[in-house]
Amino acid sequence: MNRKLTILSLVLAFAATVCAQGMKETDPAFFTTAEAQRIGDQMLIYQRVTGGWPKNIDMAKPMSEAEKAQVKSEYDRRNDSTTDNGATTTQMLFLARLWQATGKKAYAKAFCRGVEYLLSGQYENGGWPQFWPMMRDYQIHITFNDDAMVSTMNLLRDIADQKEPFQGKLTSKKLRRSCNEAFYKGVECILKTQIRDAQGQLTVWCQQHDRETFLPANARAFELASYCSQESAAIVKLLMLLPDPDERVQQAVHAAMRWFDEHKITGKRLEVVRDEKGKKVDTRLVDDPEAGPLWARYYDLQTDEPFVCDRDGVPRKNLQDIGLERRNGYSWYGDRPADLYKRYAKWCKKLEKQKK
């Protein structure tokens, strides 16, 4: 009896883990299970005629036949395929791992349709918008927000290099060449969009840039054109992974790291206040001399000062000056650039060795 209870506990624990991980599962053993194929089959249903997927949907959640029929009826939608919030790239990673485990052609076919979707969205200048082929308002901008473009580029580079889980015959040589070309066109776009300050010095990037002028651009009411630390950190990490960075890439990285160092916030800590049920009720920036460095997400393009913003579109200096909804519902401060310092030191040493 005890043995049966132990086995049942292990099964329940595994099931709980699957539910928690869902579409982001990476354990190779999981992809040999019927549960993995159930999730993969649901992803196939959600894939649009464009080859992309919509966002903010838990595609691992079991669906009724009526729900499946409803999703299938939306197959021809062309206005909700996106890379925002990890959409499309998440599904592609899952399907690649599922194909490696099962060899089923349906998963490889859906994956390759996803690759074609990513390639189809790239502007001639190398950038990607947030949604395509149908867009509206700020969706047309070159979008670094929430790492949309960087995630796309990382995926295409790994496909081109046949990095796990993209090894084997998942893609053709022709498709991999296209992925490699698209990646380096993206690098060119990154270099073109890096913001110069009033003195002409290179700095970092905005969350989104105009697709014609490359200048910083507004998005949602609270996402104003600015120097943006979070997305810029992801861009710098990508640039430091280039195997043979030319002089322009080196200048871009050095300038961004200098900007991060000049704009770090010390002696402050982000404090999240929760009620007895664990619900977030407030977010505060408090004094803490022992805290590690923080960066505001946004810095004003004219004054260079950190700011936050509510849905009224008015920038404010203090977190407590905006309403609870935006104060608790957005990442206004973070330490993401801190992860770059050790990487940067190693990167500089590598460059010195190459020069010698």
Side-chain angles (χ1 to χ4, degrees):
M1 185 67 178
N2 288 339
R3 185 170 179 271
K4 289 182 178 180
L5 286 173
T6 299
I7 293 173
L8 179 60
S9 297
L10 291 172
V11 170
L12 290 174
F14 179 74
T17 301
V18 169
C19 290
Q21 289 289 98
M23 299 189 296
K24 295 184 178 180
E25 181 62 65
T26 60
D27 182 3
F30 169 73
F31 289 93
T32 64
T33 68
E35 175 66 3
Q37 292 193 53
R38 181 193 67 77
I39 296 172
D41 290 345
Q42 288 188 173
M43 286 182 177
L44 300 185
I45 296 173
Y46 275 104
Q47 190 175 27
R48 303 305 198 207
V49 64
T50 62
W53 281 265
K55 68 174 183 176
N56 298 341
I57 299 174
D58 182 3
M59 298 179 190
K61 182 181 178 181
M63 300 168 65
S64 67
E65 292 304 313
E67 288 171 328
K68 291 178 182 178
Q70 176 60 38
V71 174
K72 288 177 180 178
S73 72
E74 298 176 344
Y75 173 75
D76 289 325
R77 287 188 64 174
R78 302 176 65 84
N79 65 348
D80 66 350
S81 298
T82 181
T83 54
D84 191 30
N85 291 357
T88 298
T89 54
T90 296
Q91 286 81 6
M92 290 173 65
L93 277 163
F94 190 98
L95 291 172
R97 291 188 172 101
L98 193 53
W99 179 81
Q100 296 292 351
T102 66
K104 289 192 175 182
K105 292 182 179 179
Y107 303 137
K109 181 179 179 181
F111 174 84
C112 290
R113 286 184 60 213
V115 176
E116 295 288 0
Y117 170 71
L118 295 181
L119 295 174
S120 73
Q122 189 174 34
Y123 292 137
E124 188 57 38
N125 62 29
W128 275 269
Q130 186 179 104
F131 284 78
W132 71 88
M134 293 179 63
M135 318 171 217
R136 58 179 175 78
D137 302 326
Y138 60 84
Q139 292 174 353
I140 67 172
H141 294 319
I142 296 166
T143 304
F144 297 121
N145 195 6
D146 292 330
D147 302 337
M149 182 165 151
V150 168
S151 294
T152 297
M153 290 177 63
N154 282 331
L155 188 72
L156 292 177
R157 179 199 59 212
D158 290 348
I159 293 169
D161 294 342
Q162 288 201 292
K163 185 177 178 180
E164 192 277 331
F166 310 121
Q167 68 273 22
K169 297 182 179 181
L170 177 60
T171 53
S172 66
K173 288 183 179 179
K174 181 180 178 181
L175 194 57
R176 293 196 293 274
R177 281 196 299 270
S178 296
C179 290
N180 190 62
E181 291 169 4
F183 174 82
Y184 281 100
K185 279 181 67 176
V187 171
E188 288 296 320
C189 180
I190 285 173
L191 297 177
K192 290 173 184 175
T193 50
Q194 190 171 15
I195 305 168
R196 290 185 182 273
D197 63 18
Q199 289 71 46
Q201 297 296 312
L202 288 171
T203 60
V204 286
W205 292 262
C206 185
Q207 286 180 320
Q208 50 281 318
H209 290 253
D210 187 278
R211 62 178 178 173
E212 302 292 341
T213 66
F214 300 115
L215 293 174
N218 295 333
R220 289 177 289 186
F222 54 90
E223 293 175 325
L224 303 181
S226 59
Y227 301 113
C228 187
S229 65
Q230 177 171 300
E231 281 76 8
S232 293
I235 293 171
V236 172
K237 183 178 178 181
L238 181 149
L239 292 178
M240 286 197 290
L241 289 173
L242 294 177
D244 188 21
D246 63 21
E247 189 65 30
R248 294 173 307 149
V249 171
Q250 293 178 38
Q251 289 178 355
V253 172
H254 290 315
M257 290 303 298
R258 181 173 58 249
W259 187 93
F260 286 133
D261 206 48
E262 292 172 350
H263 292 81
K264 63 180 181 290
I265 300 169
T266 57
K268 297 286 185 179
R269 171 173 51 84
L270 197 65
E271 180 179 77
V272 176
V273 182
R274 300 184 184 275
D275 62 18
E276 62 276 4
K277 295 182 180 179
K279 181 182 178 181
K280 185 190 293 186
V281 295
D282 201 3
T283 306
R284 305 166 183 166
L285 198 61
V286 299
D287 293 333
D288 184 349
E290 303 299 320
L294 283 176
W295 285 262
R297 189 162 191 170
Y298 299 145
Y299 291 78
D300 188 275
L301 290 171
Q302 277 70 50
T303 67
D304 233 19
E305 295 295 320
F307 72 88
V308 294
C309 195
D310 217 322
R311 292 187 183 274
D312 59 4
V314 178
R316 294 175 172 86
K317 289 186 177 182
N318 300 311
L319 195 55
Q320 301 309 115
D321 293 338
I322 61 175
L324 282 172
E325 187 270 334
R326 279 298 80 194
R327 194 154 80 225
N328 294 331
Y330 202 66
S331 299
W332 295 109
Y333 294 87
D335 61 357
R336 195 189 240 189
D339 178 60
L340 297 174
Y341 280 78
K342 288 184 178 179
R343 294 176 183 272
Y344 179 60
K346 291 180 179 178
W347 183 79
C348 289
K349 287 182 180 180
K350 181 180 178 181
L351 289 181
E352 286 299 318
K353 288 182 180 179
Q354 288 176 344
K355 289 179 181 179
K356 290 178 181 179

